[in-house]
Amino acid sequence: MRRDWIAPCAVTLLAGALRFIGLGDQCFWGDELCSINVTKFPLASSLAYYSTDPHPPLFYISVRLMRQFGESETWLRAIPALWGTLAVLVLYLAVRQLHGTRAALIAALVLALNPLHNWISQDLRNLSMLTTLGALSVLLLIPIARGRRDRLSPAHALVTAAALYTNYFAFFIVAFQGLYLLWSRRSLRQLKHIAVPLLLFAPWTLFLVSQFIHGQSWREFTSLGQMLLQTWLAWTFNSFPWRPSTLSGLLEPLLARSGPNYGLVQLALSAPALLLVGWSLVRRKDRGNRLFAAYLLLPFALVLAVSLFVPLFSAKYMVFVVPAFAACVGLGFDAAWERSRILAGACLAALLLCGALGIAQTRNDPLYSKPQWREAFSAMASRTGPRDLLLVFSRHSTPDLLYYYRGDAPLKQIILDSSRLTVPDDSDELHLRLEKLIAERDTVWLADYMGYLHDPQRSVERQLDQRLERGEPISVQPYMGIRFIPYSSPQSADEATLP
């Protein structure tokens, strides 16, 4: 091995260790189970499912292939972990083509320690695959944009088409590449490099139209200011689907009574990263630097613009341009190093510290862990039997609960109509439904999961409280409020206390 490859290989190994260690420590959660459940359909049925699912099929196909050899959390999550590790090496190669080893190595190190990219690389969804394919597409675009190797066009077309078949956010990368080619080569003929992957994607267009017509978005609109703030904090700290990252392990004891100040403290801690990115955008004017600036800013701006009209924004989705963020940090460090090595080193150290703290929070803070179904059902096992009942609001919103439940108590749902979101508004209807379900049951366990969505008025709990005695709940995920609440009749409770 050549000596100049030792450092990038070491950074790639570090990235792999961070992404592969602990893959099976946490249970699958709802989004991940969607990826698994799609692959359980026969192929013909899968095509019908894709007409309503909001994602293209390529990632699901990879999950289907992996499931032929195992279904454990570690095995299946190896897919995004492998893609996430590969992204670090791809970014190193892309930056080195234009700016040399030092900037490339710093960019790779920043991506390796980026907490959002680490989290996505351990989540069985398509974002890790999209991020890597997008970075690989940019790597193949560089010689094409410089007019040196048009023979790479077929490889670029295949990789870009694969990104489109992975996640529709790849269209934002395609748009950025088209605009950059027009600017760098100043010829409409260069759009052929964008037209080919779009033509390869054309067979899927009918499914895309069907998904757009039948799809429903449960997200709410987010203001422009909130989108900017959430994205920046996600890039530097992390973003979880159920809770904003607050570095709770360090800051929560200090700022417990000043909630809004979390964002201000985080902005202060991430200011060095902003300084490096700004330095790369302002101080370096070469064409290569403009490529990574465009890679960062254009897709991001397009997502924000579309999100003002369609509620699709989520901070975690912005991971697909995290390689561009890391590249700009590397370029900014390289420019700052030439002026002040102390300033450059301090800024980089502060950013890497934020990343390390964010990763530690992901692994150690229970507020940010995925629901621990195995532990919860293990705790319930000695307290349930066939005469008990596990009550859920809806089977459709609890795929992870159903995936892990293996108990003796039968499982029943309160909401029978799959098109209905909340429990019956009519108290008499809900009363009759519950009376039928809990009749002749020793203990009724209410799975308080998605209760804020299905029963915002807590009608089910109130009615059970009136009829039965509530026991001590078993917590599954504290911040998400997931818990199992046991209810027993007064007679059963008295019998349980007899010697």
Side-chain angles (χ1 to χ4, degrees):
M1 177 185 295
R2 290 169 49 184
R3 295 183 62 181
D4 57 347
W5 275 99
I6 294 177
C9 286
V11 173
T12 304
L13 289 174
L14 172 64
L18 290 173
R19 285 152 180 78
F20 277 91
I21 292 175
L23 275 182
D25 289 352
Q26 299 183 24
C27 299
F28 291 126
W29 72 296
D31 279 11
E32 293 179 293
L33 263 298
C34 291
S35 300
I36 296 174
N37 290 338
V38 173
T39 66
K40 294 181 178 180
F41 296 128
L43 286 175
S45 302
S46 296
L47 291 176
Y49 176 86
Y50 290 141
S51 64
T52 58
D53 185 84
H55 299 290
L58 188 56
F59 180 76
Y60 293 142
I61 292 173
S62 67
V63 175
R64 182 183 291 272
L65 293 175
M66 288 288 282
R67 283 189 64 241
Q68 306 303 312
F69 305 99
E71 296 193 9
S72 71
E73 291 91 345
T74 300
W75 177 252
L76 292 181
R77 285 179 180 147
I79 303 171
L82 184 60
W83 282 110
T85 303
L86 182 61
V88 175
L89 183 59
V90 169
L91 180 64
Y92 172 82
L93 294 174
V95 177
R96 195 180 73 159
Q97 277 198 52
L98 298 173
H99 292 289
T101 301
R102 183 169 59 199
L105 191 60
I106 296 301
L109 182 61
V110 170
L111 184 60
L113 292 175
N114 183 271
L116 176 60
H117 193 260
N118 269 270
W119 195 89
I120 291 299
S121 297
Q122 294 194 327
D123 193 53
L124 190 61
R125 296 298 278 168
N126 57 33
L127 288 173
S128 178
M129 184 175 177
L130 165 69
T131 303
T132 304
L133 288 173
L136 184 57
S137 176
V138 171
L139 171 63
L140 295 171
L141 178 75
I142 291 173
I144 295 174
R146 300 170 81 180
R148 295 181 180 179
R149 295 182 183 176
D150 279 359
R151 66 176 182 272
L152 290 177
S153 294
H156 172 264
L158 290 174
V159 170
T160 308
L164 291 171
Y165 276 105
T166 299
N167 188 297
Y168 295 131
F169 270 59
F171 278 106
F172 298 116
I173 296 178
V174 172
F176 131 68
Q177 292 188 4
L179 292 173
Y180 183 77
L181 284 172
L182 283 176
W183 174 82
S184 63
R185 301 287 292 272
R186 291 175 172 79
S187 172
L188 290 175
R189 293 181 58 188
Q190 298 307 312
L191 292 182
K192 66 183 179 182
H193 300 294
I194 302 303
V196 175
L198 292 176
L199 287 175
L200 293 175
F201 182 78
W204 190 255
T205 305
L206 291 178
F207 287 93
L208 174 59
V209 173
S210 177
Q211 291 171 341
F212 181 79
I213 294 174
H214 297 102
Q216 295 181 346
S217 177
W218 56 269
R219 298 187 182 279
E220 298 180 353
F221 283 100
T222 307
S223 68
L224 180 61
Q226 279 296 313
M227 286 191 286
L228 291 170
L229 177 62
Q230 291 177 26
T231 300
W232 178 254
L233 296 180
W235 284 348
T236 51
F237 290 95
N238 208 338
S239 176
F240 299 87
W242 51 85
R243 188 175 198 249
S245 176
T246 60
L247 290 182
S248 60
L250 289 177
L251 301 183
E252 200 153 343
L254 301 176
L255 303 173
R257 299 182 180 273
S258 55
N261 289 336
Y262 278 136
L264 297 177
V265 173
Q266 286 177 296
L267 285 176
L269 291 175
S270 63
L274 183 62
L275 179 62
L276 291 178
V277 172
W279 207 317
S280 73
L281 298 178
V282 175
R283 302 292 295 180
R284 304 192 67 137
K285 298 295 185 181
D286 57 273
R287 179 173 296 185
N289 185 68
R290 288 170 178 164
L291 169 67
F292 290 110
Y295 181 17
L296 175 68
L297 298 177
L298 288 179
F300 178 45
L302 290 172
V303 172
L304 296 185
V306 173
S307 297
L308 293 176
F309 303 96
V310 181
L312 59 79
F313 175 81
S314 174
K316 72 171 185 175
Y317 295 162
M318 296 300 101
V319 72
F320 82 108
V321 288
V322 162
F325 166 77
C328 288
V329 170
L331 300 179
F333 174 86
D334 199 39
W337 185 264
E338 297 172 359
R339 294 297 186 91
S340 172
R341 296 187 177 187
I342 295 178
L343 176 62
C347 290
L348 180 63
L351 176 59
L352 296 181
L353 176 62
C354 290
L357 292 174
I359 294 173
Q361 176 180 257
T362 304
R363 305 293 176 88
N364 301 322
D365 192 333
L367 294 177
Y368 296 93
S369 68
K370 297 173 182 177
Q372 295 303 305
W373 298 112
R374 283 190 296 259
E375 289 79 355
F377 286 133
S378 176
M380 287 177 58
S382 61
R383 302 167 60 182
T384 57
R387 287 182 52 82
D388 298 330
L389 175 68
L390 178 58
L391 203 57
V392 301
F393 290 108
S394 170
R395 287 175 177 266
H396 299 278
S397 61
T398 57
D400 39 354
L401 184 153
L402 299 175
Y403 184 83
Y404 287 100
Y405 182 62
R406 299 291 186 272
D408 296 327
L411 186 147
K412 300 291 183 180
Q413 61 184 15
I414 300 171
I415 303 173
L416 296 176
D417 186 354
S418 61
S419 64
R420 189 170 189 169
L421 182 63
T422 59
V423 297
D425 296 328
D426 188 332
S427 59
D428 292 334
E429 180 184 350
L430 179 60
H431 171 81
L432 293 174
R433 174 74 179 145
L434 290 176
E435 284 290 338
K436 182 178 179 180
L437 288 170
I438 68 178
E440 299 182 358
R441 296 293 179 184
D442 291 341
T443 303
V444 175
W445 291 83
L446 174 63
D448 187 11
Y449 183 24
M450 305 291 286
Y452 68 91
L453 182 66
H454 297 302
D455 188 16
Q457 304 302 320
R458 295 290 182 183
S459 302
V460 174
E461 278 191 56
R462 287 202 306 269
Q463 294 221 18
L464 289 175
D465 285 337
Q466 293 171 6
R467 292 167 174 76
L468 305 171
E469 288 192 0
R470 178 194 287 246
E472 187 67 27
I474 295 177
S475 178
V476 182
Q477 213 289 346
Y479 187 81
M480 296 169 71
I482 304 176
R483 53 185 181 158
F484 292 115
I485 308 173
Y487 288 92
S488 58
S489 65
Q491 181 181 0
S492 299
D494 293 340
E495 291 175 355
T497 60
L498 293 176

